[in-house]
Amino acid sequence: MSMIDIAALADIPREGARVVRTPQGCVAIFRTATDQVFALDDRCPHKGGPLSEGIVHGTQVTCPLHNWVFDMATGQAQGADEGRVATHAVQVRDGRILLDAARLTSRAA
Amino acid sequence: MTKNLVVIGAGMASGRMLEHLFEAAPGAFTVTLFNAEPRGNYNRLMLSPVLSGEKTYDQIVTHDEAWYEAQGITTRFGEAVTAIDREAQIVHGARGPVPYDALVIATGSAPFIIPVPGHRLPGVVAYRDLEDTNAMIDASRPGARAVVIGGGLLGLEAAAGMAARGAEVTVIHLMGHLMERQLDPAAGYLLQKDLEKRGIRIHCKGATKVILGQDRVEAVLLEDGTVYPADLVCMAVGIRPETRLANDAGLEVARGITVDDQMRTSDPAIYALGECTEHDGQLFGLVAPLYDQAKVLAATLAGDQAAFRPVQTATKLKVTGCDLFSAGDFADAPGREDIVFRDPGRGIYKRLILEGERLIGAVMYGDTADGAWFFDKIRTGADVTADRDTLIFGPAFAGGAPSDPLAAVAALPPEAEICGCNGVCKGQITRAIEGGATTLDAVRGLTKASASCGTCTGLVEQVMALTLGDGFAANANPPMCKCTDHTHEDVRRLIKSMGLKSIPAVMQELGWTTVGGCASCRPALNYYLLADWPLEYRDDRQSRFVNERNHANIQKDGTYSVVPRMWGGVTTPDELRAIADAADRYNVPMVKVTGGQRIDLLGVRKEDLPAIWSDLNDAGMVSGHAYAKGLRTVKTCVGQQFCRFGTQDSTGLGIRLEKLLWGSWTPAKVKLGVSGCPRNCAEATCKDIGIVCVDSGFQISVAGAAGMDVRETVLLLTVATEDEVCEVTAAFVQLYRENARYLHRIYKWVDKVGLDWCREQVSDPATRAALHDRFMLSQSVFQTDPWADHAARPAEWSPIADLSLRAAE
């Protein structure tokens, strides 16, 4: 694990997301109504929609392009749709968001 | 031989530790007890009842002079410790040194003070000790004004205490709901409602900017510009471990003084205890784990084996009349499931959080009698699978037969009341059904059951199902979404009749079955609330679909399209130059003329949006709302100014209508057309609202469409003047805004309610004027350019961090 300080929790609106740019593509950092934080690849496996722009409800997010719903903890598509988004370890400490960027910043990945 | 034990801090944890120590090892230590406060140990948890006047200080003292004397403790109260000499094992007090064999640091915590300008003014207090409490008591004369900053446990107890003494209290809370660390939004909402009922004003999402005053505090100014006059300001935004002494002595300190399982610090002769400690990365603020620490430390000092293991804690608010309980972990997380119980009529909310077969958290409001029972289940980690169906009903139900809601209704006697609003009993409903009423509407019409607040609709339907058996077909109008059994129409009606003014309020009072709704109901609720309460409700950006949240249309590749407004389809060389410049500057891949007579810049990157908006703003243009469930365009033809057939100034009228209607949110998009003669070059007769100018005046027709359905408009009214066109159009749009369900275009809504009804409403002069006035009131709030608002904060549109450079390093 290589936890990198990304930003303050307060920089992300509740029930919203912000994006982190990485060499492996963008990662969406979500914050729920109860301050849970999740990190997912910002790319819907269906048609590549930016999940960071989806509506966040509970611990799920709905893709803005075609309404696929994902469990943010597992990355698993819900309901009849099949697919999975890669998730990344993320935690909040003293109001700062720490992202496990080992996989994201390695050139070989 | 006795050893010298020095204890710094006479708080609840050290008091408890000394009791245990004298019991386990009587006579083993000679104790010196320092305390910065000029008194011994009292029950700090009971300061709230002292503040509210329900108790006196004498009643909350736990260790008096006689006790300290009987134990042979040398008390040095009101004396600050200035230094710890670890080499010589000496504690230096203001009035002289004391040697120690063992030292216990129990300095507790210090209130966190927000360093806003004015925070040092007289009249600004924290809420930690008796001095603070007395300051608040002195300031709480009837009519005095107090502001509490912080809507957590402590802040609310302070607020309730001062309110009980007659002060006019305002609570300012940074977060969206009260006690967000202990409560979820629904319970926070109920708590706010209860506190407001007792006259405490609550201002959530409020950030303190300045505390104003000359010689002492006079008022509090918030970032949003609100000012609350204040004779006293209580800052209760949090606490931090008091570690200054330990720091100065060079002990290992993280957030708190680091201790091991035996409460030992990095110096083996020094121990720490209570709120000043950090154990395994965790801080402590509630009394239960601190008492556990006290027990462990006493054993350690007495030479026994003991290890501190933090346990689960539960929270209760000590405000008389507010029943609230939370325990364990109630955050949303993977693999967790909720059981939610709501009884809106009685203000009761219970939520249990399950993980696998175990109960891991509970939040309760209104009825907390079963708190201890649930807390026990959380602590023991018992398997609750078998009891899951009835778990939420608590111990009274445990082990009983699983209940069938239909059976419960069947068991009701005929005289049992079903509809509380209209006093309708089960027997009346049964008789109406037997008399031939087989639909919900028919039963409603005959008995008035569920016709007012509507929350008993489910019960009425159950009575119908029981009476009709297989003959009962449930309401054909499907529920709004999977989160609720209510239809769109019911929700709209209940929002108004029950005065619901926030999304959590709707979800709570109408019994939503999910925690945060879904992508379908949240935008609908947000619209209904802003349409019904334009002055009170604040738009919830996170409940909006991406296009409305970002004020641009998302494209398949994640870029956006930008469409500036072009009033009535008229532009100028300067505007065209500004659009061309923007297209060049931001490398816009495609510039396209739209069907609504304006220019679309396609393929703009999200982070460029604020800059391109700012450029277009500078050229005098505003958002065209091409993305909105709101007014899109007013398409016009050239009209009498240039056209040889034109009968009226159709271009001018179109511009006037667009300036009247722009910025308004509607259930679905609204497009207008104004044609200058019946040749209809503006294609007005397939728009949501179409105006066709004729020699004698203006034909206003509505309910056209040219999308998946193609419809020709139907005539609503013919009027003589442009002023009347504007008043009728605004009134009709308002009628649509107030009555249609979300995502229904005008033609679908008119199909449902009937054109005749619409015509009656806008023809009656009084009704028309009232609708027009309500529309203008809403416009006074919502007719603002969102681009200008957002262009001012460009940072929010860029990635929050960029790790792409790290790889190259």
Side-chain angles (χ1 to χ4, degrees):
Chain A
M1 294 273 241
S2 118
M3 301 304 278
I4 296 180
D5 187 320
I6 297 299
L9 179 64
D11 291 338
I12 304 180
R14 284 224 167 97
E15 298 186 306
R18 295 286 297 272
V19 159
V20 174
R21 192 176 281 151
T22 85
Q24 312 298 330
C26 284
V27 171
I29 314 285
F30 295 91
R31 177 184 182 188
T32 70
T34 50
D35 283 352
Q36 293 275 293
V37 173
F38 297 100
L40 280 75
D41 279 357
D42 192 23
R43 223 187 123 70
C44 178
H46 176 219
K47 302 262 179 170
L51 296 177
S52 58
E53 300 293 357
I55 288 179
V56 175
H57 41 97
T59 54
Q60 300 183 329
V61 61
T62 298
C63 177
L65 292 197
H66 306 96
N67 291 332
W68 280 35
V69 178
F70 295 91
D71 181 322
M72 295 194 284
T74 61
Q76 201 66 44
Q78 304 293 292
D81 298 319
E82 281 180 25
R84 202 180 155 273
V85 192
T87 58
H88 305 274
V90 67
Q91 65 184 48
V92 178
R93 220 183 151 94
D94 297 337
R96 302 290 303 178
I97 298 169
L98 306 177
L99 174 69
D100 177 10
R103 195 151 42 98
L104 295 167
T105 51
S106 68
R107 264 167 291 182
Chain B
M1 199 187 110
T2 62
K3 291 186 194 165
N4 285 326
L5 173 67
V6 175
V7 179
I8 306 172
M12 297 178 68
S14 70
R16 178 61 63 95
M17 187 277 290
L18 289 171
E19 286 176 17
H20 286 307
L21 183 63
F22 292 132
E23 208 177 287
F29 291 96
T30 306
V31 179
T32 306
L33 179 60
F34 282 93
N35 200 22
E37 275 185 72
R39 62 184 71 83
N41 187 20
Y42 57 93
N43 187 345
R44 238 165 255 269
L45 296 178
M46 288 292 144
L47 282 175
S48 292
V50 172
L51 176 58
S52 63
E54 290 163 58
K55 280 194 188 317
T56 65
Y57 170 68
D58 290 336
Q59 288 174 302
I60 68 167
V61 171
T62 52
H63 299 85
D64 55 16
E65 291 299 323
W67 186 84
Y68 292 117
E69 205 177 303
Q71 307 303 328
I73 297 173
T74 309
T75 56
R76 297 184 53 167
F77 294 160
E79 179 181 352
V81 171
T82 53
I84 299 166
D85 183 344
R86 288 167 54 193
E87 196 90 0
Q89 300 208 163
I90 289 173
V91 169
H92 292 279
R95 295 196 288 271
V98 188
Y100 67 83
D101 298 303
L103 170 64
V104 172
I105 302 176
T107 40
S109 60
F112 188 79
I113 299 290
I114 319 173
V116 291
H119 72 274
R120 286 182 209 279
L121 282 172
V124 179
V125 300
Y127 186 24
R128 283 308 288 163
D129 55 26
L130 191 64
E131 275 70 29
D132 297 330
T133 309
N134 285 334
M136 282 191 271
I137 291 172
D138 291 344
S140 304
R141 286 175 303 277
R145 288 160 307 183
V147 170
V148 176
I149 302 174
L153 199 60
L154 220 48
L156 294 182
E157 292 190 5
M162 288 191 280
R165 287 184 179 268
E168 195 182 295
V169 183
T170 303
V171 176
I172 295 160
H173 191 51
L174 192 58
M175 297 301 174
H177 69 271
L178 296 172
M179 290 182 67
E180 78 286 348
R181 284 169 61 189
Q182 290 86 14
L183 299 181
D184 57 13
Y189 157 77
L190 285 175
L191 173 60
Q192 176 167 347
K193 234 172 65 166
D194 271 355
L195 292 171
E196 282 169 347
K197 260 186 225 155
R198 29 177 97 197
I200 298 173
R201 186 192 289 132
I202 310 277
H203 186 130
C204 283
K205 294 186 188 166
T208 305
K209 189 175 184 185
V210 186
I211 298 175
L212 304 166
Q214 289 294 325
D215 306 318
R216 60 172 288 120
V217 58
E218 288 165 19
V220 176
L221 167 67
L222 306 191
E223 294 282 359
D224 65 14
T226 317
V227 175
Y228 292 113
D231 303 308
L232 177 115
V233 172
C234 173
M235 245 196 236
V237 292
I239 54 172
R240 55 181 172 72
E242 176 55 85
T243 59
R244 280 176 296 181
L245 269 177
N247 259 327
D248 293 348
L251 293 173
E252 192 183 301
V253 173
R255 283 177 299 161
I257 304 168
T258 317
V259 292
D260 64 11
D261 288 353
Q262 280 69 47
M263 309 312 298
R264 199 176 275 117
T265 67
S266 55
D267 180 331
I270 304 181
Y271 304 82
L273 175 68
E275 287 181 332
C276 61
T277 63
E278 175 171 340
H279 176 268
D280 202 16
Q282 202 183 338
L283 299 176
F284 304 89
L286 298 173
V287 77
L290 302 186
Y291 279 171
D292 285 346
Q293 287 187 348
K295 203 182 278 179
V296 170
L297 178 55
T300 305
L301 289 170
D304 297 328
Q305 292 292 320
F308 174 58
R309 295 269 177 271
V311 294
Q312 297 269 10
T313 50
T315 306
K316 281 195 121 174
L317 183 71
K318 290 176 297 302
V319 172
T320 313
C322 288
D323 276 337
L324 167 168
F325 176 91
S326 91
D329 188 349
F330 56 88
D332 296 325
R336 289 185 182 172
E337 294 172 66
D338 289 308
I339 300 176
V340 179
F341 173 90
R342 301 181 199 249
D343 183 343
R346 290 190 297 152
I348 291 173
Y349 169 80
K350 299 182 187 185
R351 179 167 159 231
L352 301 179
I353 298 87
L354 298 174
E355 196 168 61
E357 61 278 1
R358 294 186 311 118
L359 181 66
I360 60 159
V363 181
M364 286 186 264
Y365 194 88
D367 173 8
T368 56
D370 299 337
W373 190 76
F374 287 123
F375 186 40
D376 185 60
K377 291 238 177 293
I378 295 170
R379 260 192 329 207
T380 56
D383 185 337
V384 297
T385 320
D387 308 324
R388 183 171 171 148
D389 290 350
T390 56
L391 190 63
I392 196 127
F393 302 111
F397 221 107
S403 81
D404 169 7
L406 218 52
V409 175
L412 290 175
E415 58 275 16
E417 188 176 84
I418 299 287
C419 173
C421 297
N422 295 299
V424 185
C425 66
K426 183 181 160 191
Q428 285 169 273
I429 298 172
T430 320
R431 279 196 298 281
I433 299 166
E434 286 161 359
T438 54
T439 65
L440 184 61
D441 281 345
V443 171
R444 235 176 229 165
L446 277 173
T447 66
K448 295 271 180 286
S450 80
S452 294
C453 85
T455 45
C456 63
T457 305
L459 269 179
V460 174
E461 285 183 328
Q462 282 168 0
V463 174
M464 293 177 69
L466 279 168
T467 315
L468 290 170
D470 291 341
F472 175 67
N475 200 344
N477 189 356
M480 191 164 160
C481 67
K482 63 178 171 34
C483 308
T484 177
D485 293 333
H486 291 294
T487 62
H488 278 271
E489 289 72 15
D490 281 344
V491 171
R492 284 218 82 164
R493 189 168 47 78
L494 292 169
I495 283 173
K496 277 177 272 209
S497 68
M498 297 173 72
L500 305 176
K501 294 184 181 171
S502 72
I503 290 178
V506 174
M507 291 183 176
Q508 168 62 28
E509 298 288 356
L510 304 189
W512 242 243
T513 56
T514 53
V515 174
C518 69
S520 164
C521 61
R522 285 251 304 281
L525 291 180
N526 187 52
Y527 168 73
Y528 293 155
L529 289 163
L530 74 80
D532 287 338
W533 315 110
L535 300 183
E536 289 119 309
Y537 182 71
R538 276 187 64 189
D539 185 37
D540 178 20
R541 196 163 167 242
Q542 299 310 134
S543 291
R544 286 195 176 272
F545 180 64
V546 54
N547 291 354
E548 293 186 345
R549 191 178 336 115
N550 288 345
H551 296 283
N553 292 57
I554 196 164
Q555 305 297 311
K556 61 188 281 188
D557 62 354
T559 64
Y560 291 84
S561 87
V562 170
V563 182
R565 198 166 279 292
M566 225 165 241
W567 308 99
V570 175
T571 183
T572 65
D574 280 343
E575 285 187 352
L576 291 173
R577 261 188 291 270
I579 290 171
D581 287 345
D584 276 343
R585 194 168 304 132
Y586 302 100
N587 298 312
V588 170
M590 181 188 265
V591 181
K592 188 182 177 310
V593 174
T594 73
Q597 298 185 335
R598 33 203 203 167
I599 294 176
D600 193 353
L601 302 164
L602 288 144
V604 181
R605 299 185 314 153
K606 185 185 177 189
E607 51 264 51
D608 286 337
L609 288 175
I612 197 167
W613 293 339
S614 176
D615 288 2
L616 294 170
N617 275 166
D618 288 346
M621 285 176 272
V622 297
S623 168
H625 291 89
Y627 45 81
K629 314 265 182 280
L631 178 81
R632 296 283 180 87
T633 65
V634 180
K635 188 174 178 177
T636 66
C637 66
V638 280
Q640 67 181 20
Q641 193 187 352
F642 288 97
C643 177
R644 63 201 164 100
F645 299 114
T647 62
Q648 309 276 0
D649 177 15
S650 54
T651 317
L653 177 57
I655 292 171
R656 196 172 153 191
L657 283 168
E658 190 162 353
K659 297 224 162 172
L660 173 70
L661 301 175
W662 77 279
S664 62
W665 298 103
T666 46
K669 63 182 170 187
V670 172
K671 293 179 173 179
L672 270 68
V674 183
S675 283
C677 77
R679 287 171 188 76
N680 195 14
C681 292
E683 297 161 351
T685 50
C686 63
K687 299 287 185 259
D688 295 280
I689 300 172
I691 319 291
V692 176
C693 305
V694 290
D695 249 352
S696 58
F698 307 86
Q699 296 170 344
I700 304 171
S701 63
V702 297
M708 281 200 283
D709 289 316
V710 181
R711 295 283 200 93
E712 191 182 344
T713 53
V714 283
L715 184 66
L716 182 70
L717 282 179
T718 300
V719 296
T721 65
E722 285 193 3
D723 287 349
E724 286 172 285
V725 172
C726 290
E727 192 187 3
V728 169
T729 304
F732 180 76
V733 169
Q734 183 64 14
L735 194 66
Y736 169 56
R737 298 179 74 235
E738 290 175 0
N739 291 283
R741 60 182 277 186
Y742 193 61
L743 299 186
H744 269 190
R745 294 271 305 257
I746 284 180
Y747 75 95
K748 277 198 181 165
W749 166 68
V750 170
D751 278 353
K752 247 178 74 195
V753 298
L755 183 69
D756 291 343
W757 179 77
C758 296
R759 190 181 291 123
E760 275 167 32
Q761 304 296 310
V762 297
S763 299
D764 176 61
T767 312
R768 181 202 298 182
L771 283 164
H772 175 266
D773 289 351
R774 289 202 292 278
F775 181 76
M776 296 315 290
L777 178 75
S778 169
Q779 287 297 76
S780 73
V781 176
F782 289 104
Q783 197 170 60
T784 60
D785 176 26
W787 287 1
D789 289 347
H790 289 293
R793 295 185 305 281
E796 290 171 17
W797 299 78
S798 301
I800 197 170
D802 191 345
L803 304 182
S804 54
L805 300 172
R806 270 175 194 255
E809 279 166 8

